[in-house]
Amino acid sequence: MPHSPPVPHLHDAGWPRGRAGAILTIDLDAIRANYRTVQARASGAECAAVVKADAYGLGAARVAPMLERAGARTFFVAHVDEGIALRLHIAPASRVFVLHGPLAGAEADCVRHDLIPVLNSFEQIGAWRALAHRLGRTLPAAVQFDTGMSRFGLSEEDLERIDADPDGWHGIERCLVMSHLACADDPSDPASAHQRERLLAMRARLPAAPLSLAASSGIFLGPDFHFDLVRPGAALYGVAPNGTAPNPMRPVVRLQARILQTRTVGPRDGVGYGLTYRPTSRRRIATIAAGYADGFMRHAAREGRAWLGTQPLPIVGRISMDSMAVDITDAPDSLTTPGAMLDLLGPQHGVDEVARGAGTIGYEILTSLGHRYHRAYVADGAASSLS
């Protein structure tokens, strides 16, 4: 299949800029730089790229070709249909692994679209082996072990059942053996070292194959966790690998929401559903065009902020589905008229800071941003527009 066309200098997508209530700018140059940062950190291992959930909400059709040009040749998605869609935008020689493996009956779709399943259970291995037998050929697959997270992967009991069957692995080419760390974002947690040792012990029961353990946070635990392939995801999109050190990743997204209306309220007034915000003095309030349908959790107003340049402006009252209220009393009137833009994500206030205010993580902020924005994809030198 052909490559997708090169990303232009500034590609606009989504709702027209003039009609959209908010503008989401995605810096592809920053994603490329972040890929190269983790690639250098894991020198000696292949650096794959995780583009599941539509590249963490940022658009896999645009992100994956940029990562491929930066050197990525292996991609990970969660579902078969994500892999089918991704195939349209990357080179035929690039590998696509499906983390969930195929649902029952979807095995042939993996073969048809050149997707490599991650086999997580005794049943998936049996179905993949049966398909190989019907096709009369060996089929590639990754094999995942559960090393302590109790989520995906073969258990010790599964491995024993397969070992007891002389044909247990017949027809399956194990091109990757992998597991996933549960506590890698906390470098002091001993669970990561325990999982590493357990993976090595389980892998020793199979013929040699490339090994993978580290995703974004695991890469920053050091070379002992890199093995043959690393799988960065959130770090590519600007999320901090852990909370114990300065974030080495470049910010990727900027979200600007339009002011729809302003008003002055006083001590007898309330703002928003439930009238939960009641000012103690006269305040200027702006209603802006972003709400929980756009990825901003309803309770986030407790500590949430919008920004005018470097000036923080508190979000007040409850966040609604399509809007929220911001106290603009201390901002210049001339810069906060209807139609003006306030930042909700940006250089002064990134996804990790917004996540802390909402009591969640940067991953959830990114993947919840929704599709009602005008999206601008900036590349090839236009990254200065994010600063």
Side-chain angles (χ1 to χ4, degrees):
M1 297 178 187
H3 282 286
S4 60
V7 178
H9 184 73
L10 178 64
H11 176 81
D12 295 331
W15 289 4
R17 181 182 291 264
R19 295 204 301 266
I23 296 172
L24 179 65
T25 304
I26 299 162
D27 186 351
L28 295 173
D29 288 337
I31 295 175
R32 177 172 53 195
N34 289 340
Y35 176 82
R36 288 174 175 163
T37 294
V38 295
Q39 184 182 45
R41 183 63 68 103
S43 178
E46 179 186 354
C47 189
V50 180
V51 293
K52 63 182 181 178
D54 199 25
Y56 287 56
L58 302 185
R62 292 289 169 183
V63 170
M66 172 64 78
L67 289 168
E68 196 170 52
R69 288 193 290 275
R73 296 295 179 266
T74 298
F75 296 89
F76 285 83
V77 296
H79 298 279
V80 168
D81 280 274
E82 288 182 325
I84 294 172
L86 181 63
R87 269 283 165 225
L88 299 175
H89 304 288
I90 60 173
S94 289
R95 299 188 299 174
V96 178
F97 285 90
V98 179
L99 289 164
H100 288 181
L103 296 178
E107 296 83 9
D109 294 305
C110 287
V111 174
R112 186 175 301 115
H113 296 280
D114 194 19
L115 308 177
I116 304 173
V118 177
L119 303 178
N120 294 293
S121 68
F122 181 82
E123 291 75 18
Q124 284 187 338
I125 288 173
W128 196 241
R129 184 180 62 226
L131 179 60
H133 177 73
R134 290 197 301 273
L135 296 177
R137 54 187 274 209
T138 298
L139 297 178
V143 177
Q144 180 156 213
F145 292 136
D146 176 14
T147 57
M149 196 173 179
S150 302
R151 191 180 65 166
F152 288 117
L154 301 176
S155 65
E156 293 278 0
E157 292 75 14
D158 289 331
L159 193 54
E160 289 172 2
R161 290 174 68 189
I162 297 167
D163 287 345
D165 182 351
D167 295 324
W169 297 107
H170 184 72
I172 299 176
E173 175 197 348
R174 292 176 297 276
C175 58
L176 188 68
V177 172
M178 60 179 284
S179 190
H180 192 69
L181 295 167
C183 304
D185 57 342
D186 181 359
S188 66
D189 197 310
S192 295
H194 174 72
Q195 284 190 258
R196 178 184 181 276
E197 295 308 312
R198 192 169 177 187
L199 175 62
L200 289 173
M202 296 177 79
R203 193 274 297 267
R205 298 169 64 173
L206 298 178
L211 195 62
S212 179
L213 180 60
S216 288
S217 297
I219 293 168
F220 290 81
L221 294 177
D224 285 349
F225 291 85
H226 295 163
F227 296 111
D228 300 298
L229 180 143
V230 296
R231 314 184 307 269
L236 301 178
Y237 313 113
V239 175
N242 60 61
T244 63
N247 187 0
M249 317 315 299
R250 278 175 51 175
V252 168
V253 296
R254 181 182 186 183
L255 179 62
Q256 301 163 283
R258 198 181 304 275
I259 295 176
L260 299 175
Q261 193 175 42
T262 65
R263 69 187 65 239
T264 299
V265 299
R268 294 185 178 181
D269 298 314
V271 176
Y273 283 114
L275 306 178
T276 57
Y277 174 70
R278 293 183 178 274
T280 58
S281 61
R282 287 177 63 81
R283 312 298 294 176
R284 289 178 60 241
I285 302 297
T287 300
I288 66 173
Y292 59 76
D294 306 296
F296 285 82
M297 292 70 176
R298 188 167 180 262
H299 66 276
R302 290 197 297 266
E303 298 182 34
R305 298 287 184 272
W307 294 76
L308 180 64
T310 60
Q311 182 179 4
L313 303 170
I315 297 169
V316 295
R318 290 178 180 164
I319 293 175
S320 301
M321 180 182 291
D322 312 301
S323 63
M324 66 182 81
V326 178
D327 187 334
I328 57 172
T329 306
D330 297 330
D333 291 359
S334 61
L335 299 179
T336 51
T337 57
M341 293 285 193
L342 300 180
D343 279 321
L344 290 172
L345 290 168
Q348 308 299 329
H349 203 51
V351 292
D352 293 302
E353 289 79 10
V354 171
R356 281 192 287 272
T360 183
I361 58 176
Y363 298 62
E364 186 173 12
I365 297 298
L366 283 178
T367 57
S368 300
L369 285 176
H371 299 282
R372 301 202 299 181
Y373 306 124
H374 170 85
R375 290 184 172 222
Y377 288 89
V378 181
D380 300 329
S384 60
S385 66
L386 291 183
S387 61

